[in-house]
Amino acid sequence: MGKIRIAICDDEQNIRSYLAALIRREDSSCRISEYASAEAYLAAGEDYDLLLLDIELGGGAADSGAADGGMAAQRGAAAGAGSPGSMDGMALARRLRSLPPDRQPLIIFVTGYESYVYQAFDVEAFQYLVKPVDEGRFADVFRRAAEKLSVLEKQRRRTLLVQYAGASRVIPLENIRYVESRGHKLLLHLKEGTVEYYGKIGELELELGGQFARIHKGYLVNLRHVEEYARGQVTLTDGEKLVISKYKYDAFVKQHLRFLRQ
C-alpha cells in the first residue's frame, strides 16, 4: 500500500517523539502527525490509517504539531490541548467508532495502565501496549498492523462488474451496503442509491467471498457496514435495520468475527 497515515495522540512530548522514532525505524515512508490531546486530534479533521493512542490524556501542554510539517495538527493545537475536563483516549476511541467504517483508523492503545485492557476490546482496539514500551513487541505489533491495513486496502479496491440498462458498471465493493434479492433481480443498495440487475443471490454470495454474509435468503450484507446485531436484526452504520434469519444467525456471528480479525 501507499504511505501509511499515522497519528500519535499522547499528552507527553517525549512519548510522542519516542513512538515516532520507533515507527520510522520500521517504515521511514510513513506520514506521522502528533497530537497532545483528543480535542486537538478531532479539531484537525484528518483521517488516519493507524492511531497510537494514550488513554490517560488531559495533562499535557498545548504543544501539538504535525511531525511531517502538515497544518492539521497545528490547527488542532488551538483546540486547547490539556485543558481541564478534556476527553480521554477511551472517549476518543468511542467517538471514532461512530464514524463510517472507511474513516475509522486501527487503534493501538499505548498506556501506562493495564486496567483498561477489557475496555479496549469494547472499542475494537487492534492492540494494547503498556509503557514503557518494549521495542521488540512494538515492532511485531506495527508489522501486523501494516499487514492488516494492506488487506483492508485490497478489500476497498475490489469491484463488482454488473450489466444493467444496456450498459456495464464497475462498482467498488466498499460502496455496497447490502444486496437484496427480488424475484429474478438483485438490488444493490449503495451509499448513493440502488442498482438493479438480473442475477442470483447465491451465485453473488460465492463471488463476493468473506466480506459479505448471508443473513436471510433474500439479503446479503457487507460486513464493513455492520454497526451492531442481535438475534433477529442487523443494524447498519447508517442506521438501517435488516432482518436476520434465526437459521443464519450463528454462521453470521462466526463470519463477522473472522472478518474483524483479518
Side-chain angles (χ1 to χ4, degrees):
M1 63 181 295
K3 289 184 179 180
I4 302 176
R5 301 166 301 171
I6 302 176
I8 302 172
C9 189
D10 193 297
D11 55 17
E12 296 184 60
Q13 174 66 62
N14 63 321
I15 296 296
R16 298 200 303 272
S17 298
Y18 177 61
L19 293 175
L22 292 181
I23 292 168
R24 290 195 178 93
R25 185 183 300 176
E26 301 302 319
D27 186 347
S28 60
S29 69
C30 289
R31 174 194 163 202
I32 305 172
S33 297
E34 300 177 14
Y35 301 95
S37 72
E39 288 80 7
Y41 178 97
L42 292 172
E46 296 287 326
D47 290 336
Y48 293 95
D49 303 307
L50 179 63
L51 170 60
L52 276 64
L53 178 60
D54 185 21
I55 294 177
E56 295 288 327
L57 293 170
D63 58 351
S64 172
D68 61 357
M71 294 298 295
Q74 295 176 24
R75 295 195 306 269
S83 59
S86 59
M87 182 185 298
D88 68 11
M90 197 63 69
L92 174 59
R94 293 191 186 98
R95 177 82 66 88
L96 294 175
R97 287 299 176 248
S98 69
L99 296 174
D102 57 347
R103 295 190 57 201
Q104 295 186 21
L106 289 187
I107 296 175
I108 297 175
F109 281 118
V110 185
T111 178
Y113 301 87
E114 296 185 17
S115 56
Y116 293 103
V117 65
Y118 294 108
Q119 292 183 50
F121 286 119
D122 292 339
V123 292
E124 300 175 10
F126 179 74
Q127 268 297 342
Y128 190 99
L129 298 175
V130 178
K131 300 174 184 177
V133 175
D134 178 85
E135 295 186 5
R137 175 156 170 73
F138 181 90
D140 178 62
V141 168
F142 184 86
R143 175 186 54 79
R144 288 190 285 122
E147 289 174 353
K148 179 162 185 175
L149 288 170
S150 179
V151 169
L152 291 174
E153 183 179 49
K154 290 177 182 177
Q155 289 176 342
R156 294 187 186 111
R157 288 180 176 177
R158 291 180 59 199
T159 59
L160 176 67
L161 177 65
V162 300
Q163 297 184 1
Y164 74 106
S168 298
R169 178 174 174 181
V170 177
I171 301 174
L173 297 190
E174 179 68 20
N175 290 349
I176 304 173
R177 296 162 47 246
Y178 68 97
V179 182
E180 180 183 359
S181 176
R182 236 181 243 183
H184 298 293
K185 292 185 177 182
L186 296 176
L187 271 71
L188 305 181
H189 293 266
L190 311 177
K191 294 179 179 179
E192 65 278 5
T194 60
V195 170
E196 182 176 327
Y197 71 104
Y198 288 98
K200 297 180 179 179
I201 196 168
E203 294 178 357
L204 184 61
E205 180 182 5
L206 293 174
E207 181 180 351
L208 296 180
Q211 186 178 340
F212 286 74
R214 190 78 168 268
I215 61 171
H216 187 276
K217 65 179 181 179
Y219 291 111
L220 191 61
V221 68
N222 188 340
L223 294 171
R224 287 190 60 80
H225 291 279
V226 171
E227 176 71 22
E228 62 182 36
Y229 57 85
R231 288 194 178 274
Q233 184 172 270
V234 172
T235 303
L236 303 183
T237 50
D238 65 353
E240 185 169 359
K241 301 180 187 301
L242 301 175
V243 173
I244 180 169
S245 165
K246 64 180 180 180
Y247 303 108
K248 300 287 186 182
Y249 181 78
D250 290 341
F252 163 77
V253 171
K254 292 178 182 178
Q255 187 174 343
H256 186 251
L257 289 173
R258 284 198 301 271
F259 176 78
L260 293 177
R261 290 169 181 162
Q262 288 179 348

